[in-house]
Amino acid sequence: MPVDFYMMPGSAPCRGVALTAKALGVPLVEHQTDLMKGEHMTPAYLKMNPQHTIPTINDNGFSLWESRAIQQYLADKYGKNDDLYPKDAAKRAVVHQRLYFDMGTLYLRFGEIYYPMMFGGAPKDAEKVKKFDEALGFLDGFLSESKWAAGDKLTIADHSLVASISTADAVGHDLSKFPNIVRWYADCKKTMVGYEEANAAGAKGFGDWFNSVVKA
Ligand SMILES: N[C@@H](CCC(=O)N[C@@H](CS)C(=O)NCC(=O)O)C(=O)O
């Protein structure tokens, strides 16, 4: 059942998928896809994913992209129980809320500060920092209510969110004002299966690259 996985280790959405796969024990066959070299724009890649994003998986001929959709698919298909992705409608809805929050608010606002700095040499925009800190405050509030992002069990929402938070950490964003995030982030590092290989190493690579580009 190995699943083909088109990825780059520094990419936060790829790391969310890698953490879910580790937790499920699903072996991924990694195909490093270098965006700088245009490896995501080849006819073969576009046939698999016309939107040309990483991560993309190919599971025995079935192609899928959008990291959180991939996480949901892997958990539904390969989960031995529903701990990581609960079947109960209300619990599942909270997992979805956190995943959409991560994609549409938290990581979006992170990108609005740091991507123009990396790719366009822009200065750090204080207004955008405020908006990202507001989103971090929302997450801190969620985590003041429960041990994990979507309740008392670790779920795929934690995998997605910790990929974002560790990326913010890697570029030196100050997380110390958010005590519940700090507590949860430490729990993620301690608890998540394969945290170092699936997430920490790639986040560090991203941070090193960010610092080399921004300080150059
Ligand atoms: N929301 C998407 C974002 C995917 C995404 O934008 N990935 C970036 C790399 S981190 C990418 O593939 N960029 C190349 C492109 O869009 O052509 C997900 O979570 O999978």
Side-chain angles (χ1 to χ4, degrees):
M1 69 158 177
V3 172
D4 288 302
F5 180 41
Y6 297 82
M7 51 79 75
M8 281 182 89
S11 152
C14 293
R15 288 185 266 114
V17 169
L19 283 168
T20 295
K22 286 271 185 205
L24 293 165
V26 175
L28 295 177
V29 179
E30 289 186 359
H31 301 271
Q32 300 240 356
T33 305
D34 192 333
L35 304 180
M36 302 303 168
K37 292 189 183 148
E39 289 173 358
H40 60 318
M41 299 304 286
T42 63
Y45 198 90
L46 292 173
K47 195 165 172 222
M48 190 172 59
N49 173 359
Q51 205 182 323
H52 51 77
T53 48
I54 53 165
T56 295
I57 59 161
N58 190 303
D59 186 9
N60 201 22
F62 172 62
S63 297
L64 188 67
W65 58 98
E66 278 301 337
S67 57
R68 296 158 189 87
I70 297 170
Q71 292 176 262
Q72 289 167 253
Y73 167 78
L74 292 176
D76 268 340
K77 179 145 187 213
Y78 296 110
K80 291 184 181 67
N81 54 47
D82 75 345
D83 283 357
L84 282 176
Y85 189 34
K87 293 212 185 322
D88 173 81
K91 287 185 180 159
R92 183 166 277 222
V94 176
V95 172
H96 290 165
Q97 188 278 327
R98 302 308 194 238
L99 290 170
Y100 294 135
F101 164 76
D102 185 30
M103 178 169 137
T105 302
L106 188 75
Y107 198 74
L108 180 81
R109 293 186 188 184
F110 165 83
E112 283 171 348
I113 311 170
Y114 291 104
Y115 279 79
M117 292 173 71
M118 263 185 311
F119 295 117
K124 198 182 231 181
D125 181 324
E127 278 311 303
K128 291 177 178 172
V129 170
K130 241 191 238 166
K131 291 298 282 179
F132 182 46
D133 280 347
E134 181 191 45
L136 289 167
F138 294 144
L139 177 61
D140 200 66
F142 307 153
L143 290 166
S144 71
E145 305 276 317
S146 59
K147 178 167 167 60
W148 297 105
D152 58 1
K153 285 195 177 141
L154 192 161
T155 67
I156 59 173
D158 296 284
H159 296 148
S160 179
L161 285 160
V162 81
S164 300
I165 291 297
S166 57
T167 308
D169 184 29
V171 302
H173 195 90
D174 181 14
L175 299 173
S176 66
K177 292 175 280 184
F178 306 100
N180 298 295
I181 294 180
V182 171
R183 186 270 306 153
W184 162 85
Y185 185 31
D187 286 344
C188 290
K189 290 180 187 171
K190 263 196 315 230
T191 311
M192 286 180 176
V193 182
Y195 183 83
E196 180 58 36
E197 353 38 298
N199 190 53
K204 182 177 179 313
F206 183 93
D208 291 348
W209 181 60
F210 175 86
N211 286 321
S212 71
V213 174
V214 168
K215 288 186 183 148

